[in-house]
């Protein structure tokens, strides 16, 4: 059974405090929008898809318990809350995407002369619940598509299974309409096996459930077709060591943890077949903001001729930006670099630069962008994905 980053039922919401993992599993109640903003900002919950879902549900919970005297008061609360939630962690696009979706629905409801304050509240709450359900379904679709693609296009190991490597924590892969790169470029190991690498955490803990890049690993394991997965520790916040490794052990998936500085040597010595990571904001040309360290993993993969994939839902795609230069990069406190678990590890007085994300150029994403609608080369991403986004936002 997959881990639950978010627990929700109408009027009640809680999150698994990921700062406590892997030592303790503690759930914390989220009672309102302010709580939602705080747990996102403090990284008690993280992962772009999970942030969008959690923010939407935090709004729904507060709406459930509040009363409003007019449509104008209700509208001001909803729009103001969504703008506020977007500021918690601005690099990932999912919360902004959810805000656009909910605001569009609100506008439609206000145009209906028969709507009431209560009917609008109910419809907005329901939309937040739909967002959660869609995230889980999309992740499972990605996992199934990705597993199918790898099984069809990559040679299995001598025992008929595959080995994967991952960086940080990722969820599911999807393939539809573009399924050639992996088959042509994934090189089997000397004994016929395949190995995948991932970075950061994009499994069940980073989504509403199942995961994105890590989801494909889960799907292949469920099919009995996975030999091994590699994950990086993901400094400075150690999401890979604390969270991805925790998920892999929880699922009893055969796996190995390596430090970030071992990536290139692992690619040379461990016969890595492909790298699959998540994405917090993917723009029109395929440039992708993801957890810091992703860029250098992509460079190493390119140098070793290893296909590099981004696995993320369409809600993580921001086609309004032509390239990655316009992505706002969040910077985190220096203390996250200079201490671990409250224990100082760096010299007093040393300067620090702590961007939470980097931007991987689209040309380094040699495998493609994996979404719930298929796998697309970066050169075709905007063209192929826009119709699906337009349909979703109607």
């Amino acid at each position: 059974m997959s881990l639950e980053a978010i627990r929700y039922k109408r009027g009640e919401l809680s999150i698994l405090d990921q700062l406590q993992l892997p030592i303790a599993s503690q759930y914390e109640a989220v009672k309102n929008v302010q709580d939602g903003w705080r747990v996102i900002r403090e990284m008690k919950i993280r992962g772009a898809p999970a942030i969008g879902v959690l923010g939407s549900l935090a709004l729904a919970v507060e709406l459930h318990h509040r009363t409003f005297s007019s449509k104008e008061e209700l509208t001001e609360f909803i729009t103001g809350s969504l703008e506020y939630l977007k500021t918690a962690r601005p690099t990932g696009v999912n919360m902004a995407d959810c805000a656009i979706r909910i605001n569009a629905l609100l506008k439609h409801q206000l145009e209906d002369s028969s709507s009431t304050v209560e009917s609008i509240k109910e419809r907005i709450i329901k939309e937040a619940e739909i967002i959660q359900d869609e995230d889980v379904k999309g992740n499972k679709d990605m996992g199934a598509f990705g597993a199918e693609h790898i099984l069809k296009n990559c040679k299995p190991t001598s025992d008929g299974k595959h080995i994967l490597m991952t960086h940080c924590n990722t969820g599911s892969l999807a393939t539809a309409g573009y399924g050639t790169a992996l088959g042509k470029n994934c090189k089997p190991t000397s004994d016929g096996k395949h190995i995948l690498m991932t970075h950061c955490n994009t499994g069940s803990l980073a989504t509403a459930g199942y995961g994105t890049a890590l989801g494909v690993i889960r799907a292949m394991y469920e099919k009995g077709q996975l030999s091994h997965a590699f994950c990086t520790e993901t400094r400075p916040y150690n999401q890979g060591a604390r969270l991805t490794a925790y998920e892999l052990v929880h699922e009893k998936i055969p796996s190995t943890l390596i430090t970030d500085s071992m990536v290139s040597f692992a690619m040379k010595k461990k016969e890595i077949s492909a790298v699959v990571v998540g994405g917090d904001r993917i723009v029109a040309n395929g440039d992708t903001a993801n957890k810091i360290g992703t860029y250098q993993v992509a460079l190493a993969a390119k140098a070793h001729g290893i296909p590099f994939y981004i696995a993320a839902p369409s809600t993580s795609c921001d086609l309004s930006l032509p390239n990655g230069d316009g992505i706002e990069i969040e910077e985190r406190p220096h203390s996250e670099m200079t201490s671990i678990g409250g224990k100082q590890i760096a010299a007093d007085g040393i300067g620090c630069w702590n961007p939470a994300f980097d931007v991987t150029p689209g040309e380094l994403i040699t495998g493609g962008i994996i979404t719930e609608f298929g796998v697309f080369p970066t050169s075709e991403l905007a063209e192929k994905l826009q119709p699906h986004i337009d349909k979703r936002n109607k």
Side-chain angles (χ1 to χ4, degrees):
M1 182 178 179
S2 297
L3 296 164
E4 287 184 289
I6 300 170
R7 287 180 175 174
Y8 171 82
K9 65 179 182 179
R10 183 66 68 95
E12 296 181 18
L13 175 65
S14 62
I15 56 104
L16 180 61
D17 183 355
Q18 296 181 26
L19 297 181
Q20 305 301 319
L21 293 175
I23 306 303
S25 298
Q26 297 178 352
Y27 281 85
E28 178 175 331
V30 175
K31 298 179 180 180
N32 50 46
V33 169
Q34 182 73 37
D35 283 351
W37 188 96
R38 178 180 51 78
V39 297
I40 292 169
R41 183 65 183 173
E42 294 176 357
M43 292 181 67
K44 291 185 175 183
I45 187 168
R46 17 73 48 218
I51 287 171
V53 172
L54 187 278
S56 301
L57 291 175
L59 172 63
V61 167
E62 186 160 357
L63 282 173
H64 178 80
H65 293 288
R66 283 188 62 159
T67 58
F68 300 89
S69 60
S70 66
K71 292 183 183 180
E72 291 75 18
E73 183 186 359
L74 174 62
T75 299
E76 183 178 355
F77 173 75
I78 293 173
T79 56
S81 295
L82 292 170
E83 284 301 308
Y84 177 60
L85 286 164
K86 284 162 53 179
T87 68
R89 298 196 68 200
T91 299
V93 73
N94 296 63
M95 187 62 243
D97 184 83
C98 290
I100 291 171
R101 175 171 172 171
I102 293 172
N103 277 324
L105 174 61
L106 175 62
K107 182 176 182 292
H108 178 74
Q109 291 291 305
L110 291 170
E111 291 171 350
D112 181 356
S113 60
S114 66
S115 67
T116 65
V117 169
E118 288 305 312
S119 70
I120 295 173
K121 275 180 57 176
E122 172 61 28
R123 187 62 188 86
I124 298 299
I125 291 170
K126 183 62 178 176
E127 192 68 12
E129 294 167 348
I130 291 172
I131 288 170
Q132 180 186 31
D133 293 341
E134 286 180 351
D135 186 69
V136 176
K137 181 182 183 302
N139 291 338
K140 290 183 177 179
D141 287 345
M142 280 190 279
F145 283 137
E148 180 183 359
H149 180 270
I150 291 174
L151 294 174
K152 283 184 177 179
N153 296 286
C154 290
K155 280 186 178 181
T157 66
S158 56
D159 62 0
K161 297 182 179 180
H162 299 256
I163 303 176
L164 312 182
M165 177 174 271
T166 186
H167 178 56
C168 189
N169 175 269
T170 54
S172 314
L173 296 178
T175 64
Y178 179 73
T180 58
L182 190 57
K184 290 180 178 178
N185 298 313
C186 284
K187 294 180 281 189
T189 64
S190 56
D191 63 357
K193 295 183 177 182
H194 282 84
I195 304 172
L196 298 192
M197 175 183 284
T198 194
H199 178 62
C200 196
N201 175 265
T202 57
S204 296
L205 296 175
T207 64
Y210 203 75
T212 54
L214 193 56
V216 73
I217 295 174
R218 180 177 285 112
M220 290 186 65
Y221 181 68
E222 290 169 354
K223 291 176 178 289
Q225 296 296 324
L226 178 72
S227 288
H228 212 78
F230 280 81
C231 64
T232 62
E233 63 175 353
T234 319
R235 281 284 292 149
Y237 224 57
N238 297 306
Q239 293 99 320
R242 292 190 300 107
L243 307 178
T244 302
Y246 182 78
E247 289 200 52
L248 290 167
V249 170
H250 178 83
E251 301 284 346
K252 297 182 172 58
I253 295 173
S255 50
T256 296
L257 174 68
I258 60 173
T259 67
D260 298 359
S261 54
M262 296 175 184
V263 165
S264 294
F265 201 50
M267 289 178 178
K268 181 176 182 178
K269 291 294 187 179
K270 296 298 183 180
E271 301 180 277
I272 306 303
S273 300
V275 178
V276 186
V277 304
D280 287 79
R281 188 183 293 250
I282 305 164
V283 298
N285 72 341
D287 291 355
T288 299
N290 192 49
K291 184 52 54 188
I292 191 72
T294 302
Y295 187 5
Q296 65 193 34
V297 176
L299 287 168
K302 180 75 170 180
H304 288 84
I306 296 171
F308 184 91
Y309 287 83
I310 297 293
S314 59
T315 52
S316 294
C317 297
D318 181 3
L319 303 185
S320 69
L321 293 178
N323 58 59
D325 293 342
I327 299 176
E328 179 182 355
I329 299 299
E330 175 191 1
E331 294 196 17
R332 301 290 300 176
H334 293 179
S335 60
E336 293 177 4
M337 291 180 63
T338 59
S339 64
I340 297 179
K343 183 176 178 60
Q344 183 175 328
I345 61 170
D348 285 331
I350 187 66
C352 294
W353 181 48
N354 189 18
F357 304 91
D358 55 29
V359 179
T360 299
E363 59 266 26
L364 293 179
I365 303 169
T366 54
I369 307 289
I370 304 163
T371 76
E372 72 272 31
F373 300 117
V375 181
F376 308 113
T378 54
S379 61
E380 300 177 12
L381 177 68
E383 175 190 355
K384 295 293 180 66
L385 200 57
Q386 190 65 60
H388 296 286
I389 294 175
D390 290 342
K391 182 178 179 180
R392 184 187 70 216
N393 291 338
K394 277 186 178 180

